Amino acid sequence: MNNHVRERKTRAMTKQHVGFVGLGAMGRPMAENLLKAGFDVTVWNRSPDKMQALVDQGARKAERLAEVAKPHGIVLSMLADDAALEEVALGDGGLVEALSPGGLHVSMSTIHPETARKLADAHAEHEVGYLAAPVFGRPDMAAAGKLFVTWSGWHSYKERAQPVCAAFAQGFYDYGSDDVAAANVVKLAGNFMLASAMEAMGEAYAFCEQQGIAREQVNAQMTETLFACPAYKNYGDLIARHAYAPAGFTATLGLKDIGLALDAGRQAKVPMPLASLLRDRLLSLTARGHGDKDWSALGLAIAHDAGNDPTER
């Protein structure tokens, strides 16, 4: 056996297996980066057709959810909402059963803090680790391996997950182990802040446009001076151009997240009047058939209220 063949066989024998559940706009590029990093990846998705592109790149296809995990192994999940995550984790043949004692589930979805606590307790009953690890970044950042992971849970779980998540992340923010849901609280806070920024830009650009000033020119000045940061630059460009498709993160998902933030705020007795406005704005947007547009279409809703909806021109 020559040295090159021996090296390939050695690498194959030492490849770490990772299961990945949820191959949507975020999950697919994350799983692709795991493959590029040399992990042995098994994928599962509720819509089976989404698995084929990953299989073509070398992933294994799980015919059943339980097949995505190996006993005592590690599985990452990136799912749309709380109900989907609970079903995948706790349902018949779900992850807590498939991983068995010693396994680890890294939950990267944006969910309610109470759901995270419930899941952590259920995993612990099966002696399976649970790590809350939602991410910040849009699909293009996921594809570039530039996401930011925000996590909370036991330190040993983070040590185990870090080399895996490093395949698609450029940074990690640790919120300790006292409350496993801390990362989910921070994720909802971040999404609320993003939506608030988009509301402000949408109102400001409509204000200028109604007085004959080009919104693109105003956006260029603001994002080069007062608000020269990624959130304003990226979302400001979309709002200035009314470029809401294809969606990186849909208005429907934005409505879900703001609703979660409001409910968590109610439980914590924190008034969030701006979040209430954002919920109503996103609700109106989805009610008018724009739920599949990017959530920066908040700018579209504001333009509509100002009598200058570009979809009606």
Side-chain angles (χ1 to χ4, degrees):
M1 182 185 297
N2 66 47
N3 289 337
H4 292 298
V5 173
R6 185 180 295 110
E7 183 181 351
R8 285 198 301 270
K9 292 193 72 172
T10 300
R11 284 203 304 266
M13 291 171 61
T14 58
K15 269 188 178 182
Q16 180 180 352
H17 178 266
V18 179
F20 201 101
V21 176
L23 302 175
M26 290 292 291
R28 175 176 169 176
M30 292 164 71
E32 288 175 339
N33 275 317
L34 287 169
L35 288 167
K36 292 174 184 176
F39 290 98
D40 176 15
V41 182
T42 300
V43 296
W44 185 86
N45 194 76
R46 287 179 296 172
S47 302
D49 57 296
K50 291 188 176 181
M51 291 189 278
Q52 190 56 50
L54 275 298
V55 172
D56 292 344
Q57 297 176 56
R60 303 172 189 266
K61 177 182 178 181
E63 298 295 341
R64 297 179 299 110
L65 172 59
E67 295 175 3
V68 80
K70 289 190 176 182
H72 326 299
I74 182 169
V75 173
L76 279 58
S77 63
M78 175 57 84
L79 296 161
D81 55 39
D82 299 52
L85 179 57
E86 287 195 52
E87 180 182 353
V88 161
L90 308 181
D92 291 340
L95 295 181
V96 293
E97 296 178 8
L99 283 167
S100 72
L104 175 62
H105 176 195
V106 183
S107 171
M108 314 198 83
S109 306
T110 303
I111 58 172
H112 197 292
E114 285 302 319
T115 301
R117 297 180 184 111
K118 173 184 175 181
L119 287 168
D121 289 344
H123 282 66
E125 290 175 5
H126 289 77
E127 298 181 58
V128 174
Y130 178 87
L131 184 62
V135 299
F136 283 98
R138 287 168 67 86
D140 59 334
M141 291 180 68
K146 298 295 185 182
L147 295 175
F148 293 97
V149 176
T150 302
W151 57 17
S152 49
W154 290 113
H155 180 68
S156 59
Y157 299 160
K158 295 165 190 166
E159 285 188 324
R160 186 175 175 187
Q162 197 276 339
V164 177
C165 296
F168 49 75
Q170 64 173 314
F172 297 80
Y173 291 86
D174 190 345
Y175 285 86
S177 59
D178 291 343
D179 181 7
V180 72
N184 299 106
V185 173
V186 174
K187 172 61 175 174
L188 291 177
N191 279 10
F192 163 64
M193 292 172 71
L194 283 174
S196 301
M198 287 186 276
E199 173 72 20
M201 286 186 282
E203 291 186 22
Y205 298 165
F207 168 71
C208 291
E209 186 173 46
Q210 289 294 85
Q211 298 176 79
I213 304 168
R215 54 197 295 127
E216 293 93 335
Q217 183 178 359
V218 177
N219 174 67
Q221 177 181 346
M222 296 302 177
T223 57
E224 291 170 8
T225 55
L226 297 177
F227 303 101
C229 65
Y232 278 88
K233 284 180 176 289
N234 295 337
Y235 285 113
D237 177 65
L238 299 179
I239 293 169
R241 296 187 294 111
H242 287 306
Y244 308 122
F249 186 74
T250 66
T252 298
L253 289 174
L255 175 61
K256 182 265 294 184
D257 286 0
I258 296 302
L260 293 177
L262 273 169
D263 190 67
R266 176 188 58 78
Q267 292 181 3
K269 296 182 173 59
V270 178
M272 300 181 74
L274 183 52
S276 295
L277 182 152
L278 293 166
R279 175 200 56 203
D280 291 348
R281 183 81 78 190
L282 288 161
L283 183 60
S284 173
L285 191 66
T286 56
R288 289 192 287 115
H290 300 303
D292 290 335
K293 287 186 170 65
D294 193 87
W295 70 325
S296 56
L298 280 164
L300 177 64
I302 295 163
H304 177 271
D305 288 351
N308 196 23
D309 188 335
T311 66
E312 298 176 356
R313 291 174 186 167

